[in-house]
Amino acid sequence: MRRDGGNSRRSSILLACLLTTGILACASPPVRFDGGAPVTEIVDRKNVEEPIETEFYRQTHHLNNFIDRQIRVGLDPLPPLASKDVNRYGEVPNSTWYENRSDRITPESVGQGAGGDDPGPESYLPWTIVRMKSGGRNPGFIFEDSRGVGYICKFDKPGEPVIATGAGAVSVRLFWALGYHVPDDRIVQFDRDELMIGEGAVKKLSDGKKVPIEKQDIDRMLSATATRLDDGSYRALVSRFLPGRPVGGYSYRGTREEDPNDRVPHQDRRSLRALRVFGAWLNHGDQKIDNTLDLYVEENGINFIRHYMVDFDGCLGGYWAARHEERIGFAYELDMGEMISGIPALGLIRRPYENMGAPVHPEIGLFESDRFDPESWKPNYFNDQLTSLKAADTYWAGTILAGIDSSHIREAVKAARFSDQDAETILANILEERRIKTVDWALRQVTPVFNLDRLKQSGMELRILAGDGLVDAGLQSDLQYIVEYLDGNGQSIERRKAPASSPETAIAIDRLSGLEYLIVRWTARDQNGRKLPPTEAHYIMDQADWRLAGILRDGE
Amino acid sequence: MLKKISSNLGLGGGFRRLTGEICFALVLMVMIPAVVSGAPAGNGTSPTDSTADAADNRSIRGTERPIGRNASPLQWTGRTLLFVPYAATRMVTFPLERLTWANERYRLSEKIAATLFGTYEYGRTEVGTFFGYETGIGFTLAGLSLRQEDFILPGTQLDLKGGYFSPDQNVVSLHYRGVPRTIQPWLVGRFDNREDRPIHGIGPGSGEDDFEVNMKRVAAEGGVVVGANGEFQAMVTGFIRTHDLSEPSSENDAAIAFPEISAVAEESRYAGGEVAIAWDGRNNGPFSSKGGYLKVAAGFDQALSDEDEDYDHHSVEAQGFLNLFNDSRVLAFRAFAEGIRTDDAAQVPWTEQEHLGGRDGIRGYSRNRFTDLKMLQLTAEYRYRVTEHVFGALFGDWGAVAPGWEEIHPNDLESAIGLRLLFGGRGDRFAVSVARGREEIAIYVGTESVFSTRPRRFR
């Protein structure tokens, strides 16, 4: 009895503590930032023990993903938390997950991608096949070029030449430009004579047995799957082996238990949530665990895990080449929402993807820009990272995407090595049209003001030379801005009543006397009257000058 | 406590794990979030500036979406209510998920098959097991199959399958297919054992009600198809079949009602042949969105015993598909008429007459509910795509049997309506149908059958 009473008392105290903590947590003070510098590099390269390789179980994943997660997360009325891998300006610092490249990419570097100026295996013939590819659904082989560098070689879908390999080569470059860790994938053309079977090269049978590879195996695979060009050579997509030991893909949610560097749940990473935006642009619907890869690497004597995205041949209509499904990019592979609405609708609902028609070019899959709506885009799977996307994440992705322009796209598209120049032009145009739509949508998710650190104190006023993000991205802006000044206690100091087409603003210095902390809040309305979530810039008095301390978008 | 309950119920670690998971989810959803929500805010800096270099930030490790600091009471309520459907779904999916995981992780099905057969392939012979699905011999719980490529002739395929549904119902089938060239030979053999099989409408025009029999059937058909891959086909078929009926051993009322009338002969032995021509202009078999199918057949059936009567049969089948929109809204029609002609209808055994009812006949009525010399069956179906890989369909079935064609009137047709869902890709689709006939509401589970064009002689 006494023990039960003690338990009950302890439970009451625990509950009270939880409730109190919850209530306190709900009241966040307006002062959010100190005077520190923004983090630009996350220290997540501490030495870790070699982790166990995780495996991807396709059927289990689909069962859990298509039913449980769609119910559990899809019906959840609560919004996701703010991203946790961001600095005080809302930017994503460099880490083992992401690297900021937007300020140093050139069209040439995008065209080269992760491989840089390496000439690739075509310059190092012959190739020695060491084993047949075992993962994935399409046949292929692993080889080493004459330097001894390892590659995996993949082909197009039978009957759909060029589409998937071309899509893979283009997309991997664009994801590299966006800041992700990706492999060096490139299109190659080779003659059958350049393939040799290495000593001890084996293939795995369906029952797990390994048998030596024979010449006929290679001939059969090439004749059945590889795209043969007019000159008799074969076309393929090769992916250079990444440095380190593969330890499996990374999960949509949570962290890898045995990796102490992995501290932020993956669904709370802005860099991963933003793949919802970038995925929409490139129609990368096949974002699932086994299209990611963790590598256990050693650098300067330190062992840690770096996180990669791999396999992009499903982008840009490449997945359509294998499945011929119009819904790709518009609905999940098994979409519970469509199930619920579709059964009683008796076919009277016309889905936006229906009657898409044929692809615009035989070397490009079903990939277009007219019906593309970045807001309603869906991947193939219910991916927690992507569904956790918040307005501030979307805005950040929009700013990164705005850093890509048509010259970058054109260089990336050249990597597809289409046989027809028209295909290059068509694909580049579609990508640019989709990019514009995506950037316009993404930047409008919050009040898109930038250059908030550009302060000018002249005479008796403090001027903030803020700019309109839409204009900066080369888009038409219809936004009208309201600006409000608040002190460190959240009390309003001044509010600009008349909406202005520019976010640039100024306040009299005497209104700020005695203040150590200043919050400036911009709120925009578009021409339809829609009010965009606010953007707040927090300024701190530093040696008699105001300095930007942090930025909060959408009330993060 | 939980351990004791699960032990008493004969449940193992899976049950405890599921219960634990649900409890954990409840705690996460309702209580813990209040603590977690404090993490990203109110600590003087933005999240990463405080977390990026922090050595100990384990509190945010987690896989569930916690409740944010701005959550409204409505959202809290919604989150709490969500627990109910989630837990209910999880009760169903968790065991399936664990089983699937174990199967994938440890390759269980492959190992079971390997234990039974040693290996899957012996040269061009393939051995396999199948569980709980349609494999061309009806729905079975478990079965074995053996496939031999290039059997006797290059390009041929021999399939031997055995299926077990229950001690009362099992089947063995042999299927031999030649090369699908201009002329394709084929052979099908099948043995069915079915106890307590319901029989309705005995004899031409009979008003007798249900009773049950034990039935053993051996049937073999063989023939050639001319133009197997073409739009136009001609088929010549020969067959032999035997039926042995006996009273069920069970002591139910239906068994006692086994009648002593000639239509239910204890055994029947028939051999015969059929010639048919067909035009197949469909674009995707039973799941077509356009085109049509027409087949006309006629044949004779020779009794091999003096008690039975010879007869001849004739049939017409027509299917039409009308694409309403984007190959995903389709109107499908089917009409099938078949009749037998004989000098003495009373001496044609029940097993040889025309039957109507069941999943590939008129749905919403028990199998072979109606029996007579002539049979007409009509089906209309409106199919629509629900989402990728899932189609819905509204259907109506109409049909009648009668001693003569002139006695089948539109006003006398039995009817049924229903709804079904078809799951799958372009090939075989798994269907769940609910049909409401005049006498019952029936549920059918299995692959598509109404619009298939497989031979209907295996009754």
Side-chain angles (χ1 to χ4, degrees):
Chain A
M1 284 292 283
R2 208 181 310 152
R3 198 169 55 198
D4 287 346
N7 274 345
S8 172
R9 218 168 19 250
R10 272 198 295 277
S11 301
S12 303
I13 292 168
L14 178 65
L15 187 61
C17 287
L18 288 171
L19 289 173
T20 309
T21 316
I23 292 164
L24 288 175
C26 290
S28 70
V31 173
R32 292 283 294 276
F33 302 100
D34 58 19
V39 171
T40 56
E41 192 88 21
I42 292 181
V43 184
D44 61 352
R45 291 175 175 82
K46 291 173 184 169
N47 199 57
V48 297
E49 295 286 315
E50 185 165 356
I52 301 163
E53 183 173 353
T54 57
E55 287 195 46
F56 177 71
Y57 299 110
R58 185 183 301 273
Q59 292 166 15
T60 310
H61 167 269
H62 286 6
L63 188 60
N64 180 265
N65 191 274
F66 288 134
I67 300 174
D68 290 330
R69 296 311 293 177
Q70 284 197 56
I71 292 174
R72 174 73 181 80
V73 179
L75 297 179
D76 196 338
L78 294 165
L81 293 179
S83 291
K84 299 190 180 78
D85 62 337
V86 297
N87 67 15
R88 60 183 58 227
Y89 292 169
E91 299 157 345
V92 177
N94 296 335
S95 69
T96 56
W97 295 86
Y98 184 80
E99 187 177 332
N100 286 283
R101 301 189 179 108
S102 55
D103 56 346
R104 56 188 166 89
I105 57 168
T106 61
E108 291 71 32
S109 66
V110 174
Q112 291 173 339
D117 57 4
D118 184 89
E122 283 174 296
S123 301
Y124 298 95
L125 297 166
W127 300 343
T128 306
I129 296 173
V130 292
R131 65 176 187 274
M132 302 301 264
K133 178 174 168 276
S134 56
R137 296 182 176 189
N138 300 315
F141 57 83
I142 317 294
F143 70 92
E144 288 178 356
D145 65 13
S146 61
R147 292 175 295 180
V149 174
Y151 288 87
I152 185 166
C153 179
K154 297 186 287 187
F155 302 104
D156 278 297
K157 315 297 175 200
E160 300 289 358
V162 182
I163 295 176
T165 52
V170 175
S171 306
V172 74
R173 279 156 179 77
L174 294 171
F175 273 107
W176 177 86
L178 291 167
Y180 293 91
H181 300 308
V182 296
D184 172 17
D185 291 0
R186 59 181 74 212
I187 299 293
V188 293
Q189 294 174 8
F190 61 93
D191 293 324
R192 172 67 183 88
D193 299 342
E194 305 292 352
L195 294 181
M196 299 164 65
I197 299 174
E199 200 173 318
V202 291
K203 64 174 181 177
K204 206 187 228 181
L205 300 179
S206 56
D207 59 2
K209 285 181 187 166
K210 289 179 180 173
V211 297
I213 300 174
E214 295 175 9
K215 183 174 170 291
Q216 296 89 319
D217 294 325
I218 308 298
D219 294 335
R220 203 177 300 132
M221 180 181 61
L222 289 175
S223 64
T225 59
T227 300
R228 193 142 198 201
L229 304 173
D230 293 340
D231 62 0
S233 63
Y234 293 98
R235 175 194 163 95
L237 179 74
V238 296
S239 184
R240 183 173 174 156
F241 272 22
L242 292 163
R245 190 178 77 80
V247 290
Y250 53 83
S251 170
Y252 302 144
R253 52 186 190 272
T255 56
R256 187 187 271 266
E257 286 295 328
E258 68 271 29
D259 181 11
N261 288 321
D262 190 7
R263 295 184 301 243
V264 177
H266 303 165
Q267 74 273 26
D268 293 338
R269 286 191 171 275
R270 176 160 292 173
S271 54
L272 298 183
R273 290 178 177 184
L275 290 171
R276 158 69 178 79
V277 179
F278 304 140
W281 173 40
L282 301 174
N283 205 15
H284 187 15
D286 197 24
Q287 294 190 49
K288 60 178 186 289
I289 295 169
D290 71 343
N291 283 342
T292 67
L293 189 62
D294 284 350
L295 271 298
Y296 185 63
V297 297
E298 184 196 337
E299 283 181 12
N300 303 321
I302 297 172
N303 294 290
F304 61 93
I305 296 174
R306 182 174 283 131
H307 313 275
Y308 285 83
M309 293 175 70
V310 295
D311 282 353
F312 301 93
D313 56 359
C315 299
L316 316 183
Y319 201 77
W320 175 89
R323 302 288 286 266
H324 287 197
E325 292 169 0
E326 292 177 319
R327 62 95 208 147
I328 298 165
F330 291 88
Y332 302 124
E333 218 169 287
L334 184 62
D335 198 304
M336 296 290 269
E338 284 202 348
M339 286 273 283
I340 292 166
S341 63
I343 292 173
L346 303 177
L348 298 176
I349 297 176
R350 180 177 170 172
R351 307 289 183 194
Y353 52 83
E354 292 192 288
N355 230 3
M356 293 271 275
V360 289
H361 192 281
E363 295 188 349
I364 305 170
L366 193 59
F367 184 65
E368 55 81 63
S369 57
D370 289 343
R371 298 203 201 180
F372 168 61
D373 174 18
E375 186 167 11
S376 58
W377 181 85
K378 282 182 179 177
N380 290 340
Y381 314 100
F382 195 87
N383 181 323
D384 287 53
Q385 291 163 190
L386 312 186
T387 52
S388 297
L389 184 81
K390 288 174 72 82
D393 306 317
T394 313
Y395 175 81
W396 174 80
T399 61
I400 298 296
L401 195 48
I404 306 274
D405 63 30
S406 55
S407 64
H408 299 123
I409 292 173
R410 278 198 303 274
E411 285 301 318
V413 167
K414 283 179 185 170
R417 290 168 72 168
F418 291 124
S419 64
D420 181 2
Q421 291 298 308
D422 287 350
E424 237 175 61
T425 310
I426 291 168
L427 182 57
N429 288 342
I430 293 172
L431 279 167
E432 178 61 2
E433 286 160 12
R434 287 176 72 107
R435 189 191 70 85
I436 290 169
K437 274 190 174 183
T438 309
V439 171
D440 188 61
W441 162 71
L443 295 184
R444 287 173 185 271
Q445 297 310 299
V446 295
T447 300
V449 288
F450 75 111
N451 278 347
L452 303 180
D453 58 341
R454 291 179 61 185
L455 305 179
K456 188 178 177 187
Q457 197 166 328
S458 58
M460 295 305 290
E461 70 170 18
L462 174 70
R463 179 163 290 275
I464 304 172
L465 303 171
D468 184 324
L470 291 171
V471 175
D472 187 55
L475 304 171
Q476 291 282 341
S477 179
D478 56 347
L479 300 179
Q480 295 289 308
Y481 291 91
I482 296 283
V483 187
E484 186 176 13
Y485 294 82
L486 305 100
D487 64 16
N489 297 317
Q491 299 297 313
S492 181
I493 304 168
E494 185 176 304
R495 189 167 192 269
R496 194 165 73 185
K497 292 192 178 87
S501 57
S502 166
E504 188 174 320
T505 182
I507 187 170
I509 288 290
D510 58 356
R511 303 295 303 271
L512 306 176
S513 62
L515 292 182
E516 293 291 322
Y517 200 89
L518 174 67
I519 300 168
V520 184
R521 180 184 295 154
W522 284 264
T523 309
R525 274 185 196 278
D526 66 15
Q527 61 185 2
N528 299 321
R530 187 174 78 96
K531 189 179 173 186
L532 307 187
T535 291
E536 283 182 6
H538 290 225
Y539 299 94
I540 199 161
M541 179 60 83
D542 183 16
Q543 297 177 345
D545 280 328
W546 287 103
R547 189 166 60 78
L548 181 66
I551 300 170
L552 293 178
R553 297 188 189 271
D554 190 25
E556 289 174 307
Chain B
M1 181 67 160
L2 187 61
K3 196 173 179 180
K4 192 175 176 185
I5 293 171
S6 62
S7 175
N8 289 341
L9 289 172
L11 300 169
F15 173 74
R16 287 196 292 278
R17 185 169 177 157
L18 170 62
T19 314
E21 184 180 301
I22 289 173
C23 292
F24 178 68
L26 179 63
V27 170
L28 271 177
M29 283 193 278
V30 179
M31 297 181 70
I32 293 296
V35 181
V36 179
S37 62
N43 50 15
T45 61
S46 72
T48 293
D49 286 348
S50 65
T51 61
D53 301 315
D56 183 13
N57 193 31
R58 312 285 284 194
S59 63
I60 57 172
R61 185 179 291 262
T63 62
E64 294 298 328
R65 181 188 294 179
I67 296 179
R69 63 194 169 91
N70 296 324
S72 67
L74 196 63
Q75 289 171 326
W76 275 75
T77 309
R79 166 61 76 85
T80 309
L81 291 176
L82 173 65
F83 173 74
V84 177
Y86 176 66
T89 310
R90 209 71 186 110
M91 291 289 282
V92 176
T93 56
F94 182 84
L96 280 175
E97 211 175 275
R98 299 309 299 172
L99 195 64
T100 310
W101 176 83
N103 185 40
E104 287 190 282
R105 172 72 179 82
Y106 300 107
R107 298 181 166 214
L108 291 181
S109 54
E110 287 177 31
K111 285 181 180 172
I112 291 169
T115 306
L116 290 173
F117 302 105
T119 179
Y120 274 116
E121 292 177 27
Y122 298 98
R124 293 195 168 275
T125 305
E126 189 181 293
V127 180
T129 58
F130 50 91
F131 301 95
Y133 62 93
E134 174 80 32
T135 54
I137 58 172
F139 187 83
T140 52
L141 279 185
L144 309 176
S145 74
L146 183 137
R147 170 170 292 182
Q148 170 78 52
E149 304 283 349
D150 302 334
F151 187 73
I152 301 176
L153 293 171
T156 58
Q157 185 175 297
L158 176 76
D159 271 321
L160 180 63
K161 290 179 183 173
Y164 174 88
F165 187 78
S166 72
D168 301 338
Q169 191 176 342
N170 32 69
V171 58
V172 176
S173 110
L174 180 76
H175 200 162
Y176 180 72
R177 270 190 297 273
V179 187
R181 292 184 187 140
T182 311
I183 298 178
Q184 179 189 17
W186 60 275
L187 178 70
V188 174
R190 184 167 166 140
F191 167 73
D192 287 87
N193 176 35
R194 174 86 190 268
E195 294 184 12
D196 300 336
R197 178 179 172 156
I199 285 184
H200 309 273
I202 311 150
S206 168
E208 292 290 333
D209 212 346
D210 299 357
F211 66 98
E212 292 177 355
V213 296
N214 288 348
M215 187 178 85
K216 286 184 172 55
R217 180 184 64 184
V218 177
E221 281 191 13
V224 291
V225 180
V226 181
N229 287 335
E231 208 168 290
F232 292 94
Q233 297 177 353
M235 289 149 279
V236 179
T237 307
F239 69 87
I240 182 166
R241 62 173 169 265
T242 71
H243 288 89
D244 287 283
L245 305 182
S246 60
E247 290 187 20
S249 55
S250 59
E251 294 181 354
N252 59 39
D253 293 342
I256 295 166
F258 185 71
E260 293 292 332
I261 63 171
S262 59
V264 188
E266 289 185 4
E267 60 177 41
S268 66
R269 307 277 185 268
Y270 275 85
E274 181 183 271
V275 176
I277 53 170
W279 164 74
D280 193 349
R282 302 172 300 176
N283 63 346
N284 190 26
F287 313 108
S288 294
S289 59
K290 54 181 83 103
Y293 176 83
L294 184 66
K295 181 180 177 184
V296 180
F300 67 96
D301 302 68
Q302 179 76 47
L304 300 179
S305 63
D306 293 340
E307 292 83 27
D308 297 330
E309 182 69 17
D310 299 345
Y311 64 92
D312 59 66
H313 68 270
H314 43 272
S315 67
V316 177
E317 177 175 6
Q319 295 181 15
F321 300 88
L322 186 61
N323 179 23
L324 299 179
F325 177 70
N326 197 32
D327 290 341
S328 58
R329 280 44 155 207
V330 176
L331 275 179
F333 305 94
R334 177 173 175 268
F336 179 60
E338 189 172 52
I340 63 176
R341 195 175 59 182
T342 179
D343 294 335
D344 186 358
Q347 292 304 313
V348 175
W350 173 85
T351 49
E352 296 294 318
Q353 294 177 27
E354 299 297 338
H355 300 278
L356 192 61
R359 65 195 294 261
D360 58 353
I362 178 170
R363 290 160 286 191
Y365 296 85
S366 53
R367 191 177 177 208
N368 302 334
R369 169 67 185 84
F370 308 105
T371 306
D372 217 316
L373 299 183
K374 317 287 184 200
M375 181 267 285
L376 174 67
Q377 182 191 336
L378 305 169
T379 292
E381 188 165 276
Y382 165 64
R383 293 177 194 163
Y384 60 96
R385 180 154 62 193
V386 173
T387 182
E388 198 67 49
H389 311 305
V390 183
F391 268 76
L394 297 175
F395 63 82
D397 287 340
W398 297 266
V401 295
W405 293 118
E406 67 281 0
E407 293 171 68
I408 296 178
H409 298 292
N411 292 341
D412 297 334
L413 298 179
E414 299 289 350
S415 64
I417 56 168
L419 170 70
R420 67 184 178 144
L421 291 176
L422 295 136
F423 302 89
R426 289 177 174 270
D428 273 357
R429 287 182 188 161
F430 184 79
V432 179
S433 311
V434 180
R436 186 180 188 283
R438 187 166 49 81
E439 295 172 353
E440 64 180 30
I441 294 175
I443 297 174
Y444 304 96
V445 178
T447 50
E448 165 69 274
S449 56
V450 176
F451 285 85
S452 70
T453 55
R454 61 193 166 88
R456 293 172 182 279
R457 306 304 301 166
F458 292 118
R459 293 184 182 130

